[in-house]
Every structure is written in structure tokens, then in C-alpha cells.
Amino acid sequence: MITSKSAHPVVKWIDERLPVFTFLNRELRDYPTPRNLNYWWSFGSIAGVVLVVMTLTGIMLAMQYTAHMDYAFDSVERIMRDVNYGWLLRYLHMNGGSMFFIVVYIHLFRGIYFGSYKSPREILWALGVVILLLMMATAFMGYVLPWGQMSFWGATVITNLFSAIPLVGDSIVNWLWGGYSIANPTLTRFYALHYLFPFLIFVVVALHLVALHMVKSNNPLGVDAKEPQDTIPFHPYYTAKDFFGFGVFFLVYLGFVFFAPDFFGEPDNYIPANPLATPPHIVPEWYFLPFYAILRVVPDIEVFGFILVEAKLAGVILMFGSILVLFFLPWLDSSKVRSARFRPIFKQFFWIFLADCLLLGWVGANPPEGSFVVLGRIGTAFYFAYFIIIIPLVARFEKPLPLPSSVVSSVLNEKKGERS
Ligand code: HEM
């Protein structure tokens, strides 16, 4: 219960009946947070802000959008030209999608670098991977809605992947389409689900935060923060820090919205969908490119000259596998030390892994020919080797650097000029 004498009588009256203020006080104000969190820890709250912006702009766009294959493209053009500030809503939503992935990818790589997936944060991490999958599905279906060339052909390529599944593949594709080709039923179901999924994301984010508040934040040193000496209240220290992060983030985001709104876009999507004219290069949005590379560079898997798994199916399995493997990360990495700061070999491989993801992204943006195939195969092999071979071996054989005895001792030593 709210005990402060200064609390307003109305606040007290409500709190005695529904303890919302007690809850907010405990979880947002007094909430003990490690005193050494750096700006990489602001990306979780930035992701939350982007989720809210995406939902609000999306709801307002939906008020003007027509989910019918004959009108969808024109309704989007009308939003851009005739609806008051429609262009702003659309550019905020379009670029917000890219910003969301940038922020969440940084959040995810931060988690890997500092070992935030390790015990006791396994469920917190797994919920993050669920959020990532939901985000991908939402973004994919949203991209289909303007019914431009890339919307149509992107949906064609990706839904057709399911036809690689033996026996039931074709039936699954027809079920996804709601018919025998990509047409109006496909558009309306994608619209319905694109509207629904963000609310599921909100639910999973809420669980993500409950899990976080159960086990509390990790920190750049990766050693457990003991209360009270290693922690400070969330407010005002981290509210202030996070709001600074929001400011910088919005400068970048609005910079794109106002000065380069089509930077992340694809010109072909300003041409209405035409099932009779395939664009020369079908590319997904940039945030799917590494996975698209994995999908396309995998060869037939042969054993003694017999094709065991056809290239298409192998590509689909590896593409989904590349995300699913993240679920197992907490168990693949058995090292007791969390932060890469004290893991010299893990740290080197982390940077190589990051470079590998960028390489795969570059391969995905190019046609699967010549050296791009070779690079893509090397990149894919390294991607999986990183999780399945390198991380377990490094955990076993690496000799970590000595850990500081506590967060506070390290902070004080740093002040004295000795970095621990
Ligand atoms: C809508 C997307 C997401 C939102 C809104 C979100 C929100 C948050 C927030 C507010 C925090 C606490 C602040 C921080 O540590 O940055 C957090 C922590 C965390 N998140 Fe997320 N998250 C999202 C997606 C993800 C994804 C995709 C992953 C990984 C697969 C993930 C893994 C984690 C982990 C491991 C922590 C604990 C970090 C630590 O204590 O060191 N999150 N998240």
C-alpha cells in the first residue's frame, strides 16, 4: 500500500481499492536496478516506445486503408496525397518498422554480448525470441498490404516456400492463400492478422517484463547485483537515462521520416501489383536479408549421390532453424561467466558472428549467383557452427579473466582509474 504521507487522498482512496500506485511505485520507481547499466540497456525501453508508435500510427492508417485487392494500392496513394497528415502517418509507420528491427536487433546482440540469456534469464530470453518471431510475421504481412509489386511477389515467394514440405506442402500453401492463388482472401487475412499480432506482441512483452522483474536486470559486468549496495532506484536515474535515449532515437527516426522517407523502401512497391509481370529482383525488406540468404544458398543435400533433402526444403529448414536455434542458446553456452568483457575468446567470436550476419545480409540483397553463393554458404555454415560448435567449445575450454567481487567494487575501482 502507498504509505507516503504526501500521497493525495484521491490517490490513497484508489490505491486502497486497486493498488495501481503501489504497483507503479514498486516496479517503476523504487525498482532496484544495477548501478552500472550503460546505454545498451536503453534499447529495451526504446523498443517498447516504438511498439506503441507503430500501434497508434497503424490504427490511424487502418481508418483510411481499404483491404481489397482492387482498392488497396489506391487507398494507400490516397492516404499519401489527400488524407490530412496521411503521408506523415504512413512514413512514421513504414520507417518505424525498420527502426523497430534496428532497435530489437541491437537489444538482442546486447543480450548475446553480455550473456543476458544465461541463468536465471532463460525464460526472459525465450520470450524475446517469441517476440522476434511475432514481429517478423507482422512485418511480413504488413508489407503485403499496399499491394505493390514487391508486396505481391514477396508474398508469392515466401508463401510458396511451404510447398517444399513433403506431401502436405501444396495444401498448406492453398490454406495460407485462402484459394489457388494470391488474391483477395490472402490480402484480407493478412490484414486481419497484421492488425491482431501487435496485440499479441504486447501480451508477450508484458510477460517479458514480468520475467525481467522476477530475476532483475543483468549488467555489463555480468556479476549478480546485490541489494542494496549494487543497485539504485529506477527513478529518477534510469528514467532520465532512458528519456535521453528516446531523444537521440527520435532524432534518427524522424531524420529518416522527414529527410529520407524511402531510404529503406523498394521503388518497385510504388508500382501496383501485377501477377503477370515478375520484377527482375525480388528482395524482402532489409531486416529479412540474412535469413533470405540462408534460404537461397543451400544446395541439395546428398548422401552417396542420392538427394536426401532438396535444396528448397533444406533452405526452408535452415532459414527457420536459424531463428529457432536462438531458443537453445542458454543451454548451448555452459560458461558460468556472463559478460564478454571477461571472456576473451567468446568476445572475438561474437564480433566475427556479427560480421557474419552483415555478410549474410549483403549476400541476401544480391542475386544468388557466382561468388555470392560461395560467400552465402560460408556465411551460413559459420552461422550454425557459431551456435552449435563454437559456443559450446569456447564455454568448455576458454579461461575467463578474473571477475570483480561485486558491481560496486568495480565501479569504485574504475573511478580510481583501475578498470576491472
Ligand atoms: C518488442 C520487442 C521487445 C521489447 C519491447 C523488449 C523490452 C525489454 C525491456 C524494457 C527490457 C529491460 C531493459 C533492457 O534490458 O534493455 C528487456 C530486457 C531483455 N530483453 Fe527484451 N524486449 C523486446 C525484444 C527482445 C528480444 C527479441 C530479445 C531476445 C531474443 C530480448 C531479450 C531480452 C533480455 C535477455 C533482456 C534482459 C537484459 C538484461 O537484463 O541484461 N528482448 N526487454
Side-chain angles (χ1 to χ4, degrees):
M1 288 289 157
I2 254 185
T3 48
S4 155
K5 290 210 171 61
S6 59
H8 193 279
V10 176
V11 169
K12 278 191 179 162
W13 187 89
I14 298 175
D15 203 66
E16 277 158 20
R17 285 149 184 87
L18 183 73
V20 269
F21 295 101
T22 303
F23 171 79
L24 291 176
N25 242 341
R26 194 179 59 226
E27 304 301 335
L28 276 178
R29 209 175 81 147
D30 303 338
Y31 178 67
T33 317
R35 55 170 71 218
N36 59 338
L37 297 189
N38 56 32
Y39 278 109
W40 297 117
W41 265 260
S42 294
F43 282 86
S45 16
I46 297 176
V49 170
V50 188
L51 180 60
V52 172
V53 172
M54 291 301 281
T55 311
L56 293 180
T57 51
I59 291 174
M60 282 186 271
L61 285 171
M63 295 172 187
Q64 302 287 346
Y65 171 77
T66 310
H68 188 289
M69 61 189 262
D70 294 339
Y71 305 109
F73 188 88
D74 290 345
S75 77
V76 174
E77 281 307 300
R78 192 180 147 272
I79 289 172
M80 294 295 284
R81 292 155 199 255
D82 297 339
V83 174
N84 286 341
Y85 293 102
W87 59 272
L88 182 57
L89 285 176
R90 176 155 190 247
Y91 282 153
L92 281 171
H93 201 73
M94 258 169 68
N95 287 282
S98 285
M99 290 297 133
F100 205 2
F101 276 94
I102 293 175
V103 168
V104 167
Y105 282 152
I106 293 177
H107 186 64
L108 190 156
F109 277 97
R110 181 286 312 261
I112 298 182
Y113 187 86
F114 292 107
S116 298
Y117 50 84
K118 285 173 184 249
S119 174
R121 298 185 182 80
E122 302 93 327
I123 292 189
L124 170 62
W125 170 260
L127 289 167
V129 182
V130 173
I131 297 174
L132 183 65
L133 285 168
L134 284 171
M135 276 174 67
M136 289 178 155
T138 310
F140 165 68
M141 290 185 289
Y143 195 60
V144 178
L145 303 184
W147 210 244
Q149 272 291 67
M150 240 3 130
S151 306
F152 183 87
W153 289 99
T156 306
V157 171
I158 301 301
T159 49
N160 260 315
L161 293 179
F162 291 92
S163 69
I165 301 171
L167 303 175
V168 289
D170 287 333
S171 312
I172 292 181
V173 175
N174 290 343
W175 178 73
L176 288 174
W177 287 346
Y180 296 100
S181 65
I182 293 201
N184 208 45
T186 329
L187 178 61
T188 48
R189 64 188 48 200
F190 278 17
Y191 179 50
L193 296 177
H194 181 71
Y195 207 133
L196 173 71
F197 275 31
F199 296 95
L200 296 184
I201 297 179
F202 270 112
V203 172
V204 187
V205 167
L207 295 176
H208 191 63
L209 295 182
V210 172
L212 175 75
H213 282 222
M214 277 306 285
V215 295
K216 308 279 189 310
S217 281
N218 181 27
N219 64 75
L221 298 170
V223 294
D224 289 332
K226 306 238 168 25
E227 285 176 52
Q229 70 274 21
D230 292 339
T231 60
I232 44 176
F234 191 80
H235 179 73
Y237 299 104
Y238 287 111
T239 37
K241 195 161 180 161
D242 279 354
F243 270 88
F244 179 77
F246 297 162
V248 175
F249 167 73
F250 273 102
L251 281 179
V252 176
Y253 177 19
L254 296 181
F256 280 110
V257 168
F258 289 116
F259 298 104
D262 286 313
F263 180 81
F264 297 107
E266 186 55 50
D268 273 13
N269 226 28
Y270 283 103
I271 303 170
N274 180 356
L276 300 179
T278 317
H281 297 299
I282 303 175
V283 272
E285 292 275 83
W286 68 266
Y287 36 81
F288 290 134
L289 289 174
F291 308 103
Y292 195 49
I294 293 177
L295 170 75
R296 292 187 309 168
V297 298
V298 187
D300 286 335
I301 299 185
E302 292 180 26
V303 178
F304 302 121
F306 289 104
I307 297 179
L308 196 65
V309 188
E310 280 193 11
K312 190 171 171 186
L313 181 58
V316 173
I317 294 171
L318 288 189
M319 184 179 74
F320 285 107
S322 65
I323 298 175
L324 296 183
V325 72
L326 289 172
F327 278 113
F328 301 98
L329 184 55
W331 296 277
L332 289 167
D333 182 357
S334 60
S335 166
K336 291 276 172 287
V337 177
R338 294 194 187 102
S339 173
R341 283 196 187 168
F342 305 100
R343 302 189 58 192
I345 302 178
F346 176 86
K347 192 199 269 181
Q348 308 293 332
F349 278 112
F350 170 85
W351 292 115
I352 300 174
F353 174 65
L354 182 62
D356 186 58
C357 293
L358 297 175
L359 170 81
L360 283 171
W362 182 54
V363 170
N366 285 285
E369 299 159 358
S371 50
F372 285 115
V373 175
V374 181
L375 281 176
R377 284 183 188 165
I378 296 172
T380 304
F382 183 82
Y383 184 98
F384 285 97
Y386 177 73
F387 287 105
I388 297 169
I389 302 169
I390 296 172
I391 283 197
L393 285 183
V394 170
R396 200 158 148 61
F397 295 109
E398 178 185 50
K399 195 172 171 323
L401 305 178
L403 289 177
S405 54
S406 69
V407 170
V408 75
S409 74
S410 162
V411 173
L412 294 181
N413 284 345
E414 230 173 87
K415 277 212 181 113
K416 279 193 242 146
E418 310 161 27
R419 190 146 192 267
S420 52

